[in-house]
Amino acid sequence: GSGYPDISWHGVLPWRPDWSPPSRSLAFMLCGRHGEAAGGPPDFLYVAFNMYHKPLNFGLPVLPKGMAWRRFADTSLASPADICKPGEETLIGPQKQYLLSEWSAAVLVGRAG
């Protein structure tokens, strides 16, 4: 009833994973609204992998009204910027896409506020 599946698969375009053999990118999103019923936070998680030799722009799924994407981790960034403490994620902009460097992964958190 949330309008989002528990897990959804994405490519560089939201909701469109590329399952072809030459593809080197993949992302998934977990909907936290379902976990909220069990006492967890209503946060969304978006995890993207770029195994291509060039940076790729990943289009981000639209979050429910009042929520925004924040970066929790990005393996392409130098330490200590590569990961945050939970609850201290960095608000990203623009909210429509995330540029992910070659051979790296990122974890974004969608939450209210």
Side-chain angles (χ1 to χ4, degrees), residues 27-50:
F28 66 88
M29 183 175 71
L30 301 175
C31 174
R33 288 187 163 180
H34 303 270
E36 184 178 25
D43 299 344
F44 283 63
L45 289 179
Y46 177 85
V47 182
F49 303 94
N50 178 8

Side-chain angles (χ1 to χ4, degrees), residues 35-102:
E36 184 178 25
D43 299 344
F44 283 63
L45 289 179
Y46 177 85
V47 182
F49 303 94
N50 178 8
M51 298 299 111
Y52 192 54
H53 67 276
K54 294 181 181 180
L56 293 174
N57 260 320
F58 282 77
L60 298 174
V62 175
L63 289 168
K65 188 173 182 166
M67 298 184 91
W69 288 115
R70 292 164 167 72
R71 184 182 64 242
F72 172 72
D74 185 331
T75 62
S76 71
L77 300 176
S79 182
D82 58 337
I83 193 163
C84 299
K85 290 182 182 180
E88 297 181 10
E89 297 88 0
T90 305
L91 184 65
I92 66 162
Q95 290 283 301
K96 293 185 178 191
Q97 62 187 359
Y98 187 80
L99 180 62
L100 188 55
S101 293
E102 61 276 5

